[in-house]
Each structure stands twice: as C-alpha cells, then as structure tokens.
Amino acid sequence: MNKQIHPRTASLVAAFLAAVMAILGLGLSALPASAEEIPGAEITLSTGSTVTGQWDQVDLSCTWSVPDNSQPGDTFTLQLPPELRWFGAATFDLNTPDGQTVATAAANDAGRVVFTLTDFVALHPLNVGGTCSFATQYSVAPATGETKELSFVFGDSVIRVPVQIEPCTENCLPDAPTTAGKSMWWADSSQSELQSVLYMPPMVSATNDVVVTDIPSAGMVIDCSRVTPRVGKVRGEAGNIIEPFDNEQYPASIECTPQSLTVSWTGLPKGEHVELFVVTKVSDASLDVYQNNGTVTISGEENPVGAQTRRSSASGTGQGTATPTPTATPTPTPSTATATPTPVTPTPSPSTSTSTSSPAIVVLPTESTTPGQTTPPAPGNPAQPANNPAQPATAAQLATTGAQGQAFVVLAAALLALGSLLAFAGARKHRRRSH
C-alpha cells in the first residue's frame, strides 16, 4: 500500500523551499555584474619617431574611448607588434584633470597592454575616453630606408601605424673620440638598470697610465660584478672596441663599492683604445632623472665626465560624463473658476396674490483641475537616449545584472503559495475526519 505525503508535511516542504529560493534570489541579485572585454572600445595610434638603428626609442600617442554605460572592471587590450618592445613603467593611470583615475593600464613583457576601467565610470557612464602616451624600443636591426607599417592588435582588429626607417648606409663608422667622455642608457625595458661607458681618445704617448673613476648620484648603486674594462685597437661599426682585445696584455686594477668605482691601467702603448662599461642599479625608482659623474685621467691630465638619463614613463588622460538628472515636470496650478451670476426673471405665479422674490443665481458649469493632480512624466528612462530605446535583456545580460535573483524570488513566492494551498487542503481534510 502506497503511503501518501501528508498535506501538512507537503506544505512545510514547500515553505522551506520557498525560503531557500528567496535567499538565493536575494543573494544573486546583490552580486555585481562580472567584468568583461569591451567589444565596442576604440583606439587610434600615431608616432612621429624615426628609427635609425636597433633599440631606438619609438614614442606612441593614442586616443581611446569605450561605449556608454561600460562597467567598472571592464577591459580592452592592445598588443604591440613584434618589432617593438615595451619600454618604461609597467603600469600607469589615465586620470581626469582633477586627478580621478578613469582607467589603469598594465603592460607585460610580451608587449600586451590591458586597460581596465575603474569605479569612476559607475558615476560617469557617458562619453568615457581619453588619451595615452608611452615609449617602446625598436627591437630589430633596420635594413634599408623605408616607411614600415607596424601592426598592433586591438581586440579583434589590427591597427597599422607607419614609422619612418632611416638607417645609416655609408660613412657610418663614428670617428674616434678626441676627448674623454661618458654615455649612459637604460639596460632593460623596465628601467631598473642603467648601463654606461666611459671612453677616451687613443693613447698618444709611448707609454700611458690611465685612471678612471665613476661615482653614481643618489638613486643609483654600482653593480660591482658587472664592471667590464676593455683595451684594444680595433673599433666596430658602433665605434666601440671589438675583438681581438688586449685585456690580458694590459690588465686593469679594479676597486669597487656600490657608491664608487676606480679602475686603472699602467704602461698602455700608443694607439691603444680604452673603454670601461659599468652597470648601475636603480635604488630609488621615484626619480625622473639619473646622473652619473666621474673623471678620466690620462698621463696625469684629468678630464671630468658625466652623463644623464631621463626615465621614459607612460601616461594618459581620461574623462566621462555623469548621467543627467531627470527634471521633474512642474505641477500645474489648479485654475479657479469664477462664476458669473446670471439674473433670471421669475415667472409670475397664476395666483392672484403678488409676491416679490429675490433673483435666483444660476452657476454655469466650468472645467477645473482637481487640486493636487500632476501631469505624468514622459515615459522612458532618463539615462536612455530617445533615439536608442532600451532593448530586452538577453540571457547573458541577466546572468550578469542579477535579474535571475528576481526570478528566484518569484519562484519562491509561487512555492509559498503552493504550500499555503496544501496546508489549507490538509486542514479541511482534518476537519472532515473529526466529524
């Protein structure tokens, strides 16, 4: 014999399920919309840089924009072409003139730059966009002079940016230096290390003693494990000493600390070239300019040398417009109707007696506005442009806007009603059995 579920038990189960579904619905409705890649984002790129050799800096400028009502956390990405590598700060902000951050940008070592919208767009969802500028390095050796198109990948599209290539084709070997000097440049794309070279003219005396000192300024320390002295007579295309070196015949004496370096040679013959390569690490990344000074002393004649390198930093701007506040329709002032009295001549009574009556006042009906009545506002969402009516939400949109939470609440209400009906039916059946 099959046992039937008691109506009261069924009603309790239904009520329990209703409560669970309502809690789930309210929880899901409170979840924020998930971030996603912005399909309608736009960007333009341009450069005025000219490339003459490998590792030349290529500066790029951009303008960007995203569709109205894009959400905080939404992103758009830009991939650098293989000819360029990122050069500078790995992250930067795109700010309004008063310092509010509209979006942030982050670049990885592969040249992929991700722009992420901030909470600013929640209160300023319209006309969101701005500018950006950043530095890159041309990572390949240019061939002949030409205008080359660089292909940037932006979302599902490719943006081609022309860059002028003008490599040296004749008489490209730099002249031998006539005085001592120093050059310094960034050794890595993250700008955490600087490399410098101290150079000097070829030796002019039969025998020469050389002493080189190098002292970094604040914010830099010498990496003593990466001090490279070179001696030789052959110079390459870049003007530096190349193999065969004479380092073994004329060894250098090195004294190094993070704050000071001294390198000396004795008995260098006429015609020898001397160079000293030094790597310094950045100890204070907040500086914009790094300075390195020193001296080159040849046969007792001292020459001060120095070099300065600026940090290449990416930057950008952003803006957005707040949703206009809807203007309330003014309530019309009820009109007051003034009745115009109309005299009516009384008809004499057929009675023989004569009486005098006051004229009757007849108030003609007039239209009036009920006090307190207001004109209903024009239909439509103030945040929705008139020429862009709201579209029905799709299933994907419901999944990110919390609309399914409302559906859970409706379902919970239905289960609660079902439980009430079952409870009522159980109560009636119980009363019948009791009679």
Side-chain angles (χ1 to χ4, degrees), residues 162-218:
V163 61
Q164 189 65 32
I165 309 294
E166 296 181 357
C168 181
T169 55
E170 59 182 26
N171 299 324
C172 301
L173 182 63
D175 294 334
T178 58
T179 59
K182 179 183 175 85
S183 297
M184 186 166 63
W185 62 94
W186 291 108
D188 61 340
S189 59
S190 62
Q191 298 184 357
S192 63
E193 294 182 346
L194 287 150
Q195 187 168 21
S196 58
V197 57
L198 294 94
Y199 55 86
M200 58 202 76
M203 302 295 104
V204 295
S205 302
T207 180
N208 304 268
D209 294 339
V210 175
V211 179
V212 176
T213 64
D214 188 50
I215 301 175
S217 61

Side-chain angles (χ1 to χ4, degrees), residues 38 40-42 63-71 76 94-97 102-103 117 120-131 317-324 383 385 387-388:
I38 304 173
E42 296 182 355
T63 59
W64 64 274
S65 64
V66 296
D68 289 348
N69 299 310
S70 295
Q71 298 298 309
F76 56 94
L94 294 85
N95 294 334
T96 63
V102 180
L117 300 181
F120 175 88
V121 302
L123 299 178
H124 306 80
L126 309 179
N127 306 314
V128 177
T131 65
T317 66
Q319 63 182 11
T321 305
T323 303
N387 60 353
N388 187 19

Side-chain angles (χ1 to χ4, degrees), residues 78-383:
L78 177 69
Q79 176 63 53
L80 300 186
E83 294 89 350
L84 299 180
R85 73 168 184 173
W86 188 260
F87 186 64
T91 60
F92 61 97
D93 295 335
L94 294 85
N95 294 334
T96 63
D98 61 355
Q100 299 184 73
T101 302
V102 180
T104 61
N108 63 15
D109 292 339
R112 184 172 183 265
V113 190
V114 179
F115 297 81
T116 305
L117 300 181
T118 69
D119 290 339
F120 175 88
V121 302
L123 299 178
H124 306 80
L126 309 179
N127 306 314
V128 177
T131 65
C132 67
S133 60
F134 52 90
T136 65
Q137 282 184 318
Y138 201 80
S139 61
V140 297
T144 58
E146 60 179 343
T147 299
K148 183 176 178 59
E149 285 192 339
L150 303 177
S151 297
F152 295 78
V153 178
F154 182 72
D156 296 331
S157 60
V158 175
I159 302 173
R160 292 178 172 83
V161 179
V163 61
Q164 189 65 32
I165 309 294
E166 296 181 357
C168 181
T169 55
E170 59 182 26
N171 299 324
C172 301
L173 182 63
D175 294 334
T178 58
T179 59
K182 179 183 175 85
S183 297
M184 186 166 63
W185 62 94
W186 291 108
D188 61 340
S189 59
S190 62
Q191 298 184 357
S192 63
E193 294 182 346
L194 287 150
Q195 187 168 21
S196 58
V197 57
L198 294 94
Y199 55 86
M200 58 202 76
M203 302 295 104
V204 295
S205 302
T207 180
N208 304 268
D209 294 339
V210 175
V211 179
V212 176
T213 64
D214 188 50
I215 301 175
S217 61
M220 306 165 60
V221 292
I222 298 173
D223 185 350
C224 293
S225 65
R226 298 162 74 182
V227 175
T228 307
R230 288 181 182 174
V231 179
K233 295 181 179 179
V234 182
R235 298 168 58 242
E237 293 182 358
N240 301 118
I241 303 170
I242 60 174
E243 295 181 329
F245 300 125
D246 296 334
N247 297 339
E248 294 184 0
Q249 295 94 311
Y250 307 101
S253 174
I254 301 175
E255 297 178 5
C256 183
T257 69
Q259 288 74 38
S260 176
L261 171 66
T262 301
V263 181
S264 58
W265 294 264
T266 59
L268 292 174
K270 183 178 181 179
E272 288 285 354
H273 294 265
V274 178
E275 291 175 341
L276 178 64
F277 289 87
V278 183
V279 173
T280 52
K281 294 183 178 181
V282 172
S283 58
D284 184 358
S286 66
L287 302 180
D288 292 329
V289 180
Y290 296 87
Q291 182 80 26
N292 199 318
N293 298 312
T295 60
V296 174
T297 303
I298 304 175
S299 299
E301 182 179 348
E302 184 176 292
N303 301 277
V305 295
Q308 184 184 88
T309 301
R310 303 188 67 86
R311 182 178 292 279
S312 298
S313 60
S315 62
T317 66
Q319 63 182 11
T321 305
T323 303
T325 302
T327 304
T329 304
T331 303
T333 304
S335 60
T336 303
T338 303
T340 303
T342 303
V344 178
T345 304
T347 303
S349 172
S351 172
T352 56
S353 61
T354 305
S355 63
T356 305
S357 302
S358 299
I361 303 298
V362 178
V363 180
L364 299 179
T366 59
E367 296 183 358
S368 63
T369 303
T370 303
Q373 181 180 0
T374 59
T375 304
N381 184 352

